[in-house]
C-alpha cells in the first residue's frame, strides 16, 4: 500500500451532510501553504524535522520558514517573523517553546492564518485557556497542544514533528490518538494496516476528536476508525459521529485509557483531562456500535483483520458471539484455543455432514473430521491437507471466520506448507480467513510479511486474535445498535435531577427510587418519614 492509493467507503448509507467537516479543519489537514515558526537547520531538532517533512510532502505545499537566527535553511529563505510572510497561510506550525506560544498564536490569528499545530505542552497558569480563546475568537483550528502533529496520506501532507514512516502506508484506517508514543507505535507496527489519516491530537485545546472524524468520514476514503483516547472533550458530537459511521458501514475501534481509578488519576496528572470511568466508555461504545478493545495488541489484531476487507456472511448469530472454524497442527494447542474461546465468548461452527465428508476425504486415517480440527498425522502432503481443510470449513454455512492456528515459527527445514496452504486457501474463498499464532515472539517475521503481502491477516496472540475475530463477527450487531434512535431528553426532568445531583448531601432511599422511576426503571413505592406515626400512615397508604 502506498500514499497514492485511495480507499473507498461503502455507499449504501453515506455519512450525513450534517457531519460535514469545519472549513478550518479541512484547511489545516489539507494545507496548501504552511509557515514553520521555529524552523531550524540543526539536525534532529523539532524545527528541522518539521521542515523536512513538509518539504517532502507529496502535495508540495508552499512552505515558509520563520526564525530570526537564520537567513536560510535547506537552501530556502528564512524570515525573521511570521509578520514578514505576505498574506495568511492555511497552517502555522509552531515549533517554539511554551513561553513563545501565546505571542506567536496571537500574531497568526491577527494575520488571518486558518490553523495551527502546537507541539509544546502549553504548560503554565491559564496558558492553555488563553491559547484556546485566541484561536476560537479567530475561527482557527488547532492540533494540540502537546501533540506530534498529523499525517494525511490522502491529501499528501506531512505536518509531523517526528520521524515516522515515509511514505506512510495508505489504507482504510483513520487514527486519532491522545498518546504520542502510541501514535508512533501504531504507525511503525509491522502489520498490514494502512492509513487515510493519522492525528496525534494531544490536549485538543480547540479541535476535537469529533472534528477529525468528521473530516475523515467526509473524504470517502475512510473505512475503519481507530481511537486511543483519554477523555472525550465533546462527547455528544463524538457519539453522533461514531453512530453515523457505524450506520454507514464504517466500524470504529476504540481503546479508552484511564477507565480505572488509578488510570484516571494518571490521565489528570498527564494532561489535565478528566477521564471517563469504565461504565461511561462501555455505554458510549454500546450505544454507537463501537468496538471496544482492551490493549494495543487487541487493537492491532482487530485493525489488521478489518483492513483485510472481508466480512462474515450476513447471518445473524444466536447471540453466542459468533462461530469460528479452526485448523491446527497440535492437539494441545487446539485444546488451548477452545479454553480461550470459551473465556472470550466465541463459539465454534457446527459443521454439516457434507463438510465432515470433505474433511474425511483429505485427512489421514484415524483423524476426526470435526471443528476445531487437528490435521497433523503423517505430515505427508501437508500443503494440500491444510488447504483443503481450510476451504471446506470456510465454505460451511455455519462458519463466520476460519483460522489457521499455527505458530509460524521459523522453519529450520525450509518447509513452506503452512504459508502455501494459507495463500492457496485465501485465493479459493472470499470468506474471512486469517492465520492465528499463539506466541507472538515466535513468529517468523519474513513469513508473516509474505502472508500479509497476499492480503492474509496474521493475528499475533491467542486471546487478542480471538477477541479481534469476535469484533469482526459482531459488526452487524453493532450496526443494529447504532441504528436505534437516541432517547429523547425531557428538559424539566433533566434539570431537576441535575440540580439535585449537584447538592452535596447523599441520596435517601426514597430519592434514589424516585430517580429510577423517573427514568423508566420501576421499583417499590417509598415515602420518607420522620417518626413511627408517619411510618404507620405511609404503610397504610402504600398497602
Amino acid at each position: 500500500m502506498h500514499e497514492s492509493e485511495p480507499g473507498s467507503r461503502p455507499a449504501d448509507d453515506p455519512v450525513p451532510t450534517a457531519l460535514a467537516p469545519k472549513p478550518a479543519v479541512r484547511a489545516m489537514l489539507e494545507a496548501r501553504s504552511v509557515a514553520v515558526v521555529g524552523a531550524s537547520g540543526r539536525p534532529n531538532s523539532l524545527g528541522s524535522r518539521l521542515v523536512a517533512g513538509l518539504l517532502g510532502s507529496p502535495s508540495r505545499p508552499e512552505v515558509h520558514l520563520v526564525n530570526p537566527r537564520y537567513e536560510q535553511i535547506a537552501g530556502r529563505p528564512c524570515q525573521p517573523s511570521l509578520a514578514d510572510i505576505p498574506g495568511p497561510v492555511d497552517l502555522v506550525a509552531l515549533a517554539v517553546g511554551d513561553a513563545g506560544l501565546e505571542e506567536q498564536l496571537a500574531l497568526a490569528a491577527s494575520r488571518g492564518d486558518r490553523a495551527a499545530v502546537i507541539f509544546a505542552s502549553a504548560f503554565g497558569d491559564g496558558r492553555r485557556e488563553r491559547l484556546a480563546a485566541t484561536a476560537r475568537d479567530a475561527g482557527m483550528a488547532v492540533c494540540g497542544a502537546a501533540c506530534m502533529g498529523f499525517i494525511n496520506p490522502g491529501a499528501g501532507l506531512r505536518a509531523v514533528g517526528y520521524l515516522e514512516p515515509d511514505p506512510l502506508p495508505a489504507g482504510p484506517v483513520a487514527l486519532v490518538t491522545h498518546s504520542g508514543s502510541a501514535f508512533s507505535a501504531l504507525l511503525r507496527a509491522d502489520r498490514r494496516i494502512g492509513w487515510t489519516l493519522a492525528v496525534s491530537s494531544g490536549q485538543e485545546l480547540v479541535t476535537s476528536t469529533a472534528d477529525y472524524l468528521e473530516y475523515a468520514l467526509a473524504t470517502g476514503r475512510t473505512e475503519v476508525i481507530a481511537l486511543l483516547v483519554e477523555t472525550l472533550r465533546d462527547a455528544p458530537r463524538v457519539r453522533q459521529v461514531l453512530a453515523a459511521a457505524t450506520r454507514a458501514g464504517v466500524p470504529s475501534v476504540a481503546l479508552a485509557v484511564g477507565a480505572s481509578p488509578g488510570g484516571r488519576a494518571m490521565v489528570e496528572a498527564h494532561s489535565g483531562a478528566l477521564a471517563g470511568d469504565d461504565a461511561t466508555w462501555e455505554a458510549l461504545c454500546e450505544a454507537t456500535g463501537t468496538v471496544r478493545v482492551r490493549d494495543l495488541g487487541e487493537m492491532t489484531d482487530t485493525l489488521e483483520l478489518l483492513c483485510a476487507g472481508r466480512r462474515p456472511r450476513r447471518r445473524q448469530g444466536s447471540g453466542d458471539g459468533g462461530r469460528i472454524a479452526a485448523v491446527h497442527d497440535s492437539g494441545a494447542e487446539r485444546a488451548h484455543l477452545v479454553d480461550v474461546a470459551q473465556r472470550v465468548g466465541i463459539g465454534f461452527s457446527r459443521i454439516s455432514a457434507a463438510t465432515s465428508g470433505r474433511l474425511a476425504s483429505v485427512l489421514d486415517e484415524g483423524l476426526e473430521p470435526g471443528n476445531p480440527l487437528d490435521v497433523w498425522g503423517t505430515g505427508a502432503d501437508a500443503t494440500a491437507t491444510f488447504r483443503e481443510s481450510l476451504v471446506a470449513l470456510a465454505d460451511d454455512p455455519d462458519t463466520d471466520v476460519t483460522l489457521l492456528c499455527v505458530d509460524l515459527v521459523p522453519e529450520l527445514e525450509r518447509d513452506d506448507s503452512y504459508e502455501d496452504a494459507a495463500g492457496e486457501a485465501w485465493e479459493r474463498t472470499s470468506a474471512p480467513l486469517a492465520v492465528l499464532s499463539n506466541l507472538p515472539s515466535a513468529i517468523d517475521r519474513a513469513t508473516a510479511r509474505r502472508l500479509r503481502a497476499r492480503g492474509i491477516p496474521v493475528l499475533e496472540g491467542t486471546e487478542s486474535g480471538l477477541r479481534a475475530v469476535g469484533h469482526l463477527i459482531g459488526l452487524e450487531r453493532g450496526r443494529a445498535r447504532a441504528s436505534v434512535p437516541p432517547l429523547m431528553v425531557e428538559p424539566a426532568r433533566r434539570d431537576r435531577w441535575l440540580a439535585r445531583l449537584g447538592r452535596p448531601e447523599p441520596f435517601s432511599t426514597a430519592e434514589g427510587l424516585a430517580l429510577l422511576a423517573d427514568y423508566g426503571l420501576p421499583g417499590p413505592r417509598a415515602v420518607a418519614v420522620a417518626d413511627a406515626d408517619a411510618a404507620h400512615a405511609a404503610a397504610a397508604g402504600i398497602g
Side-chain angles (χ1 to χ4, degrees), residues 48-140:
S48 68
R49 292 191 298 263
L50 259 175
V51 171
L54 287 164
L55 292 178
S57 292
S59 64
R60 297 290 183 260
E62 181 183 353
V63 180
H64 303 274
L65 308 182
V66 178
N67 193 326
R69 298 179 181 179
Y70 295 90
E71 290 187 0
Q72 65 175 20
I73 296 172
R76 300 172 68 90
C78 192
Q79 304 298 330
S81 169
L82 185 59
D84 296 313
I85 297 174
V89 295
D90 292 327
L91 177 63
V92 177
L94 294 175
V96 299
D98 286 346
L101 288 176
E102 291 183 68
E103 177 186 359
Q104 296 301 325
L105 187 65
L107 179 54
S110 69
R111 285 168 31 86
D113 298 327
R114 303 188 69 186
V117 183
I118 300 177
F119 296 91
S121 66
F123 180 78
D125 186 24
R127 177 172 284 135
R128 293 169 184 168
E129 291 77 10
R130 291 191 297 273
L131 288 167
T134 297
R136 288 196 182 98
D137 289 346
M140 296 177 70

Side-chain angles (χ1 to χ4, degrees), residues 22 26 49 93 129 133-134 167 236 270 276 352 362 386 465 479 511 535:
K22 298 174 183 176
R26 184 182 290 277
R49 292 191 298 263
E129 291 77 10
T134 297
H270 172 238
S352 66
V362 299
F386 277 85
R479 196 170 179 178
E511 284 181 308

